[in-house]
């Protein structure tokens, strides 16, 4: 099935990024939120991203307006009724996600595909609520969505091959490279990324290296664009610990267990860039390592 009209649930960091890339690809995109203020905030970020691209001469002013005209925000599920694909990007709370899928199941036609942007929950746990387990899959994007090329497309035991084919075609249409992942918590990338980032925190906690040297080691030694502690601040330590906890509860393996330092930082409200302080302090002109008493 060719996807022409897209619905996005949630206009936060991920939802707004997903909406932006869909609109950029010329697709009519309807974003559903629970409060107008979240739509205004998310659309504000999109507008800023497009303005930056226009200022750099990467797109024309007309192109920017054309992209924005593809985007609409709504507070009503009803407005998603004629979408070919609905991508859900709401917080990692299964009950909340399933409540939305149940509502949409009664509104959307049979053909509508549902895709969850969950990064760590098992997708099949949402299957029953959708009333169409064969047309549900995972579609895991990476932050910042407009820049990151990958999408993990997740096939549950109930997802049809036709759904996967349509989602692969859709990902390519919006300029992303899809890979196929099995429905195990963390899929492919987080399964590898989470233990690596947790190890970096343990190295810091054990006093084996400084915050800056850990990041520098990975950036200069492995050519990563960001070191693991900068990346943790970028993802958000509250989001990061949530992913670790979900994976730990799924696998009961120590490599997914959050070290005490991470727990303490989240309790202290050190969420990373979004709160102004994490492994680095962002209050000055340049980020500087936070004194974590190590
Ligand atoms: N949104 C949109 N565009 C952004 C952006 C943002 N938040 N931040 C930067 N950009 C764009 C800039 O506009 C610029 O675009 P152009 O090249 O078109 O001019 C480009 O990115 C480069 O920006 P900068 O020069 O300012 O910075 P940079 O070279 O350091 O790149 C970065 C920024 C793309 C974020 C890069 O540092 C990077 O790739 N970091 C790693 C990100 C990563 O690993 N993400 C995965 C997180 S894990 C995840 O998402 C999964 C999960 O489930 C937890």
């Amino acid at each position: 099935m060719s996807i022409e009209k897209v619905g996005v649930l949630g206009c936060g960091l991920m939802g707004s990024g997903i909406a932006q890339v869909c609109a950029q690809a010329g697709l009519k995109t309807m974003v559903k939120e629970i409060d107008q203020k979240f739509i205004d905030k998310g659309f504000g970020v999109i507008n800023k991203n497009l303005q930056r691209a226009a200022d750099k001469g990467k797109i024309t002013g007309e192109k920017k307006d054309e992209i924005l005209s593809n985007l609409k925000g709504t507070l009503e599920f009803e407005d998603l009724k004629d979408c070919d694909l609905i991508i859900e990007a709401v917080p990692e709370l299964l009950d909340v996600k399933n409540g939305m899928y149940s509502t949409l199941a009664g509104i959307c036609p049979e053909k509508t595909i549902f895709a969850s942007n969950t990064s760590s929950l098992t997708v099949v746990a949402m299957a029953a609520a959708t009333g169409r387990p064969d047309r549900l899959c995972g579609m895991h994007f990476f932050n910042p969505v407009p820049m990151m090329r990958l999408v993990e497309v997740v096939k549950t035991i109930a997802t049809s091959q036709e759904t996967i084919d349509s989602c692969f075609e859709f990902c390519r249409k919006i300029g992303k490279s899809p890979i196929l992942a099995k429905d195990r918590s963390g899929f492919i990338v987080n399964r590898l990324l989470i233990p690596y980032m947790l190890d970096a925190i343990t190295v810091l906690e054990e006093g084996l290296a400084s915050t800056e040297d850990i990041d520098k080691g990975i950036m200069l030694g492995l050519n990563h664009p960001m070191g693991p502690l900068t990346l943790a601040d970028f993802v958000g330590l509250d989001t990061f610990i949530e992913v670790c906890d979900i994976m730990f509860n799924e696998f009961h393996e120590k490599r997914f267990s959050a070290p005490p330092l991470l727990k303490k930082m989240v309790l202290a409200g050190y969420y990373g860039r979004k709160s102004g302080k994490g492994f680095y302090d962002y209050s000055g002109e340049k980020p500087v390592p936070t004194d974590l008493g190590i």
Side-chain angles (χ1 to χ4, degrees):
M1 183 179 83
S2 173
I3 288 156
E4 304 302 333
K5 183 159 184 204
V6 184
V8 179
L9 296 176
C11 197
L13 187 69
M14 299 305 284
S16 64
I18 294 167
Q20 181 183 327
V21 293
C22 292
Q24 276 175 195
L27 300 169
K28 293 286 171 212
T29 306
M30 181 69 76
V31 187
K32 154 87 177 69
E33 254 297 354
I34 51 170
D35 193 312
Q36 185 62 36
K37 69 177 182 219
F38 298 123
I39 297 175
D40 294 344
K41 189 170 175 210
F43 281 19
V45 172
I46 296 174
N47 198 36
K48 225 165 98 186
N49 286 342
L50 295 176
Q51 190 55 51
R52 203 170 46 220
D55 292 343
K56 285 180 182 167
K58 295 194 167 175
I59 55 170
T60 61
E62 293 83 66
K63 185 70 191 171
K64 179 188 162 214
D65 294 343
E66 187 191 313
I67 295 168
L68 289 174
S69 74
N70 288 332
L71 277 173
K72 283 202 168 49
T74 182
L75 304 179
E76 306 299 330
F77 283 109
E78 193 66 28
D79 290 332
L80 300 174
K81 66 174 185 297
D82 56 350
C83 290
D84 303 311
L85 168 70
I86 295 178
I87 305 172
E88 166 268 306
V90 304
E92 295 286 59
L93 300 165
L94 191 56
D95 287 351
V96 172
K97 290 179 192 279
N98 279 344
M100 292 184 173
Y101 286 126
S102 298
T103 304
L104 286 169
I107 293 173
C108 298
E110 267 300 293
K111 63 165 191 171
T112 306
I113 294 173
F114 293 163
S116 176
N117 178 55
T118 181
S119 62
S120 44
L121 293 169
T122 307
V123 178
V124 78
M126 300 158 215
T130 64
R132 62 194 75 202
D134 58 320
R135 287 189 203 84
L136 167 75
C137 65
M139 216 184 254
H140 182 216
F141 291 79
F142 291 81
N143 175 31
V145 178
M147 296 309 298
M148 306 302 282
R149 283 172 298 159
L150 186 71
V151 178
E152 290 177 304
V153 177
V154 183
K155 189 174 193 291
T156 78
I157 53 164
T159 313
S160 70
Q161 190 54 43
E162 205 187 332
T163 298
I164 296 295
D165 292 345
S166 300
C167 289
F168 263 62
E169 191 191 315
F170 164 77
C171 288
R172 293 189 180 111
K173 197 172 190 170
I174 61 168
K176 303 295 178 197
S177 289
I179 56 174
L180 185 65
K182 292 216 167 124
D183 189 23
R184 295 287 301 276
S185 182
F187 315 126
I188 300 167
V189 175
N190 278 345
R191 179 79 183 253
L192 301 170
L193 178 69
I194 298 300
Y196 150 73
M197 288 170 68
L198 291 177
D199 259 350
I201 298 171
T202 303
V203 165
L204 177 70
E205 193 169 25
E206 289 178 354
L208 296 175
S210 68
T211 303
E212 277 175 315
D213 281 355
I214 292 168
D215 279 345
K216 200 168 169 185
I218 294 297
M219 285 177 74
L220 303 187
L222 298 176
N223 251 0
H224 288 203
M226 286 176 172
L229 302 175
T230 300
L231 182 58
D233 277 356
F234 181 72
V235 169
L237 301 192
D238 52 337
T239 305
F240 178 49
I241 203 166
E242 197 174 83
V243 174
C244 299
D245 288 349
I246 292 172
M247 293 186 72
F248 182 76
N249 288 334
E250 179 77 16
F251 297 111
H252 294 284
E253 289 177 21
K254 194 172 176 329
R255 63 198 169 118
F256 301 115
S257 130
L261 175 61
L262 177 60
K263 290 182 188 160
K264 282 189 250 175
M265 290 176 72
V266 172
L267 287 172
Y270 293 6
Y271 296 159
R273 271 198 208 184
K274 65 170 104 164
S275 72
K277 197 186 261 192
F279 291 101
Y280 294 86
D281 185 326
Y282 298 89
S283 56
E285 217 165 87
K286 248 180 74 185
V288 290
T290 304
D291 180 0
L292 296 168
I294 296 157

